[in-house]
Amino acid sequence: QVQLVESGGGSVQAGGSLRLSCAISRYTYSSYCMGWFRQAPGKEREGVATIYTGSGSTYYADSVKGRFTISQDNAKHTLYLQMNSLRPEDTAMYYCALDPTWGRTYCTGAGGYRADFGYRGQGTQVTVSS
């Protein structure tokens, strides 16, 4: 069973930055889709960013383009989300997620938008104050 453990959330003022990390363990896949999605109270899940490990191709939601960067460190089995220029509307629980069955096209397209991954972590809270 794949395990995903997020860290790095917290409280920050608008305009600030945070870097989320996701440690991945117990996986045996060579190429797979990883990403981040978020969910605020009373709102639907929103796909934030994805990366296809085989090619490094990425997807970003329009709401975070130019501000967030997804990256991976294969040696450390860790996924990152660098979040800059944070806004109050970025406040949410952020989840790291993975799906070994998605190909690159779905990962960086509809999958990124729907964020219906097969595995996810417990989440880390990000709160941005104005």
Side-chain angles (χ1 to χ4, degrees):
Q1 181 77 6
V2 173
Q3 287 192 338
L4 306 168
V5 180
E6 304 96 335
S7 60
S11 297
V12 65
Q13 289 192 328
S17 298
L18 285 173
R19 188 175 81 156
L20 305 184
S21 299
C22 176
I24 313 152
S25 61
R26 300 184 183 179
Y27 71 101
T28 59
Y29 317 107
S30 58
S31 296
Y32 47 91
C33 184
M34 291 206 67
W36 297 89
F37 67 90
R38 64 189 181 186
Q39 190 159 20
K43 295 188 177 181
E44 293 188 355
R45 173 185 303 190
E46 179 186 13
V48 174
T50 62
I51 185 166
Y52 188 68
T53 62
S55 64
S57 301
T58 58
Y59 159 90
Y60 292 96
D62 288 343
S63 58
V64 306
K65 278 181 183 176
R67 301 188 298 122
F68 291 11
T69 302
I70 189 171
S71 62
Q72 57 181 331
D73 185 329
N74 292 330
K76 294 183 179 180
H77 307 303
T78 303
L79 182 72
Y80 302 100
L81 185 69
Q82 178 66 44
M83 306 186 294
N84 299 327
S85 302
L86 283 161
R87 305 167 180 168
E89 54 264 39
D90 294 317
T91 296
M93 185 71 79
Y94 283 71
Y95 297 88
C96 171
L98 177 154
D99 198 298
T101 67
W102 295 359
R104 177 182 59 82
T105 300
Y106 190 79
C107 175
T108 57
Y113 176 79
R114 295 173 183 166
D116 50 347
F117 296 88
Y119 300 95
R120 74 174 199 185
Q122 294 298 310
T124 185
Q125 178 67 37
V126 171
T127 302
V128 184
S129 58
S130 57

